Amino acid sequence: MTKISIAPDDRVFVLTGAGISAESGLPTFRASDGLWAGHSIEDVCTPEAWKRNPALVWEFYSGRRSDGAKAEPNPAHVALAELEARLGERFFLCTQNVDDLHERAGSVRLVHMHGELTKARCERECGRPPVEDRKVYKSLDEVGRCACGGRLRPHIVFFGEIPLEMERIQDEIQKATLMVVVGTSGSVYPAANFVHWARQRGARTVYVGPEAPLNASAFTHVVEGKAGEVLPGLFAV
Ligand code: NAD
């Protein structure tokens, strides 16, 4: 079995995608022909969709909240939390996922570049921070308003919007000597470029997933397999 050695001076940057939560029962896009839980992205996951039909967008994300609350972290989430516990500040996790399975497994040094299902924020981008919101809405009338009067929208980066925390992410990639990418198809940008940025800095780059991603040629190792089966035995620290 492949082992990735982590030396005392290594700094590890991990990027995860929908594939890491697949074994927890949360579907990826790829698994369903580019649909997310039966919906096309254009209908539920774009600024235009929000303007056109906020009720449908909230209905969709309410469904994702219900599914997310029922799901449990799998051995892949746990393996990354355990790696963080050993490496401390030499570890950083960036997830494209909007579920909270990484934090529930114990990860702390992480950012959600595409937002979080368990939060909402003002649709007017008025500057107030996101608020905790785990409600499953049955109609738009139940959705609260911000102090400025704007309607609350899911704290999700819709397709076409700028991902969150990019400065911190770029800074961590600059410092990393090892990048590990798990369960992402390599088709959503800018995340699909992270491996190129890391390679330019001379880092080793490892991909873990059941099939090679679209950007496979940028990896120094591709470990084919399910995240929950590969990650628990992958690292030699
Ligand atoms: P994607 O659906 O495009 O690709 C999923 C990838 O996971 C594929 O490459 C597939 O081979 C791989 N995969 C499937 N099962 C796996 C397993 N058991 N172990 C490891 N890998 C596995 O997903 P993406 O590249 O992350 O891009 C999709 C976007 O969709 C992201 O922005 C994300 O926010 C959003 N999304 C999030 C969730 C979630 O939060 N759980 C779920 C679906 C989509």
Side-chain angles (χ1 to χ4, degrees):
M1 190 174 163
T2 314
K3 282 273 180 196
I4 304 295
S5 339
I6 299 178
D9 56 352
D10 270 328
R11 290 188 73 99
V12 181
F13 181 103
V14 180
L15 170 69
T16 63
I20 197 166
S21 296
E23 289 159 82
S24 295
L26 301 179
T28 66
F29 287 146
R30 281 260 166 139
S32 43
D33 288 331
L35 296 184
W36 188 357
H39 290 267
S40 84
I41 300 311
E42 292 71 30
D43 287 345
V44 291
C45 206
T46 61
E48 294 72 30
W50 174 254
K51 268 188 218 121
R52 198 170 50 233
N53 195 344
L56 179 65
V57 173
W58 264 122
E59 184 189 315
F60 172 73
Y61 282 105
S62 292
R64 307 288 67 68
R65 283 179 175 181
S66 305
D67 292 351
K70 282 181 229 141
E72 293 294 335
N74 68 52
H77 298 103
V78 173
L80 292 179
E82 285 174 0
L83 186 61
E84 177 180 346
R86 298 189 70 171
L87 300 183
E89 301 220 326
R90 294 191 292 126
F91 177 95
F92 186 78
L93 172 59
C94 170
T95 185
Q96 297 173 83
N97 294 345
V98 294
D99 66 54
D100 62 357
L101 296 178
H102 282 302
E103 355 344 36
R104 283 164 52 200
S107 290
V108 177
R109 286 179 51 78
L110 91 159
V111 295
H112 283 269
M113 65 180 290
H114 291 162
E116 292 171 76
L117 269 179
T118 55
K119 294 182 179 169
R121 70 168 190 266
C122 179
E123 65 174 350
R124 292 182 186 160
E125 309 291 352
C126 70
R128 290 181 177 82
V131 292
E132 179 96 5
D133 179 6
R134 294 171 188 266
K135 290 186 203 108
V136 172
Y137 294 113
K138 298 223 166 43
S139 88
L140 199 55
D141 299 337
E142 297 172 12
V143 177
R145 298 242 168 211
C146 174
C148 79
R151 180 177 277 136
L152 290 179
R153 60 166 266 184
H155 181 48
I156 299 287
V157 176
F158 293 143
F159 281 82
E161 294 183 327
I162 297 167
L164 308 171
E165 308 259 18
M166 280 308 294
E167 260 181 49
R168 185 166 174 209
I169 291 167
Q170 277 165 329
D171 182 50
E172 292 288 345
I173 293 175
Q174 295 254 325
K175 292 190 286 197
T177 56
L178 171 64
M179 176 175 281
V180 180
V181 177
V182 185
T184 172
S185 54
S187 58
V188 178
Y189 287 83
N193 268 333
F194 292 178
V195 62
H196 298 286
W197 300 345
R199 276 301 284 283
Q200 281 163 8
R201 307 279 311 169
R204 290 173 291 152
T205 53
V206 181
Y207 180 79
V208 178
E211 60 195 353
L214 292 177
N215 53 1
S217 60
F219 289 91
T220 46
H221 289 78
V222 173
V223 185
E224 283 194 21
K226 291 183 175 180
E229 292 169 9
V230 172
L231 284 185
L234 186 63
F235 304 107
V237 183

